[in-house]
Amino acid sequence: MTQHTVSRATFDDVMVPNYNPPSIIPVRGEGSRLWDQEGREYIDFAGGIAVNVLGHHHPALVKALKEQADKVWHLSNVFTNEPALQLAQMLTERTFADRVFFCNSGAEANEAAFKLVRKYAHDHFSPDKHEIIAFNQAFHGRTLFTVSVGGQAKYREGFEPVPGGITHVPYNDIEALRAAISERTCAVVMEPIQGEGGVIPANPDFARAVRELCDQHQALLVFDEVQTGVGRTGNLYAYEELGVTPDILTSAKALGGGFPIGAMLTRSEIAASFSFGTHGTTYGGNPLGCAVAKAVLEVVDTPEVLSGVKRKQQLFVDRLQAINARYHCFNEVRSAGLLIGAELSEPWQGQAAKFLAAARELGLMMLIAGPNVLRMTPSLIIPDEDIHVGMDLLEQAVATVLEVEQAG
Ligand SMILES: *Cc1c(COP(=O)(O)O)cnc(C)c1O
């Protein structure tokens, strides 16, 4: 046999053990359905962690990728390229920003943002103005700087010494921020909705007060929209609905719809601090990634898709609440568009992974956000039928974990 067959066991033989995937290996996807090596079908509520905004194998994205594949794949930033310039035009036309820096992931977009806020303060004020304030439970990526700004100690432990000058305060607690902010603060960094932290939306009053405190202290406001951006909440970016405009916004995940790309958006006055030679990346603005991202924006940033997000959100929430009415398994269902979290009730806290495994056994892919929250970040165009089929499977999974006869 010349074909190399691979399985989950191969993972343990050849991969660094920083992940722990289940035994099944998906090999093909179409819309919001996936098939594994054995041909078993799954409903996809995970969406590649808020990435596959248009599901799998979307014709417009496949077309964009194939067309660019026949032109030019890579040039590096020694040259610019048409897809990158066109994508930057689209992003600046549709947001507060008028300058864009491209990179390849959310962590890299945040790394750029965190370096830029320091550089800007250095250029305009003094090196003393270097402190970054971020929030407990925040997630900003896994590079050393981004785990340091992130508010989950477990991602930093063992990697010390970590960069200094970073303070964490409780999310949605304006008095805590008021007490921490000073003339030494160069930036406040926040997710408009904490994703990994448990699907926790910012209170709009809090967000407005954060903006005011930043203005009073001449600190920049950075919104990490890596998870909330590109239609996830029913707006192109979540800041629009929150009514608070950041100075810097980071985007990745959904931006490429499954092709790796990240972006940092800002205003020209701030962008000027990243003068020639100050920062860079070899692959950033890669023509393949930018061509796909253009196609993503063309489809997502339309009234049909964005209004569909709010309608589908209601369907998810209604079905989750119906499950809860029968099984009393959730404390709360939280959502912002199709970023949905169901927090487990007291007896089941700490066991989110168990629900996830039970659902997968039955043919449903979901995510968790910490040990207590089931998280769903499906395609923005998931068919209603797939929502219902998936929710039937989730209900079965809940009944299995609770070891009760399924009602109804
Ligand atoms: C996923 C995520 C990141 C990190 O993105 P990567 O592409 O994994 O580096 C950063 N911030 C938020 C809010 C995220 O959800």
Side-chain angles (χ1 to χ4, degrees), residues 185-197:
T185 306
C186 67
V188 175
V189 178
M190 70 182 269
E191 296 159 271
I193 297 126
Q194 287 192 335
E196 308 292 315

Side-chain angles (χ1 to χ4, degrees), residues 105-108 110 139-142 191 196 224 226-227 252-253:
S105 69
E108 281 179 59
N110 285 328
F139 184 80
H140 300 301
R142 297 292 204 111
E191 296 159 271
E196 308 292 315
D224 178 346
V226 171
Q227 188 150 166
K253 290 203 167 100

Side-chain angles (χ1 to χ4, degrees), residues 35 39 64 131 153 321 335 367 371 405:
W35 292 269
E131 289 178 3
Q321 273 161 358
S335 61
L367 301 167
E405 289 290 312

Side-chain angles (χ1 to χ4, degrees), residues 162-181:
V162 296
I166 300 161
T167 309
H168 295 95
V169 297
Y171 194 62
N172 277 330
D173 180 346
I174 198 63
E175 291 315 317
L177 180 62
R178 198 186 308 281
I181 200 166

Side-chain angles (χ1 to χ4, degrees), residues 186-387:
C186 67
V188 175
V189 178
M190 70 182 269
E191 296 159 271
I193 297 126
Q194 287 192 335
E196 308 292 315
V199 188
I200 311 200
N203 174 332
D205 290 339
F206 169 74
R208 277 190 290 275
V210 172
R211 176 74 270 182
E212 279 166 25
L213 282 176
C214 284
D215 293 342
Q216 281 164 22
H217 293 87
Q218 294 174 298
L220 298 178
L221 177 57
V222 179
F223 270 10
D224 178 346
E225 291 230 31
V226 171
Q227 188 150 166
T228 55
V230 194
R232 177 62 47 196
T233 64
N235 301 276
L236 187 58
Y237 287 99
Y239 81 86
E240 299 164 30
E241 194 169 340
L242 207 48
V244 171
T245 304
D247 299 299
I248 299 178
L249 180 152
T250 56
S251 187
K253 290 203 167 100
L255 184 59
F259 199 98
I261 181 170
M264 179 191 70
L265 281 55
T266 189
R267 299 193 312 270
S268 55
E269 180 237 344
I270 299 165
S273 284
F274 264 178
S275 55
F276 178 63
T278 50
H279 189 61
T281 153
T282 301
Y283 260 117
N286 169 274
L288 292 169
C290 291
V292 175
K294 270 172 57 192
V296 169
L297 286 182
E298 272 159 16
V299 180
V300 168
D301 194 20
T302 55
E304 302 88 273
V305 171
L306 295 178
S307 64
V309 168
K310 297 281 191 193
R311 200 180 52 73
K312 289 173 195 293
Q313 169 187 13
Q314 197 56 50
L315 215 52
F316 268 92
V317 170
D318 289 348
R319 288 292 315 252
L320 285 166
Q321 273 161 358
I323 292 174
N324 199 33
R326 286 192 190 144
Y327 299 97
H328 311 291
C329 46
F330 305 133
N331 262 343
E332 192 178 32
V333 174
R334 295 186 287 265
S335 61
L338 287 173
L339 173 53
I340 298 153
E343 186 179 285
L344 294 167
S345 58
E346 202 62 39
W348 311 104
Q349 294 219 335
Q351 299 191 48
K354 209 165 153 182
F355 287 82
L356 198 71
R360 193 176 53 245
E361 288 290 307
L362 292 165
L364 172 66
M365 289 170 174
M366 295 190 303
L367 301 167
I368 58 179
N372 303 332
V373 177
L374 307 183
R375 178 173 43 143
M376 287 149 236
T377 57
S379 159
L380 306 184
I381 55 168
I382 181 171
D384 291 359
E385 188 203 335
D386 290 10
I387 299 176

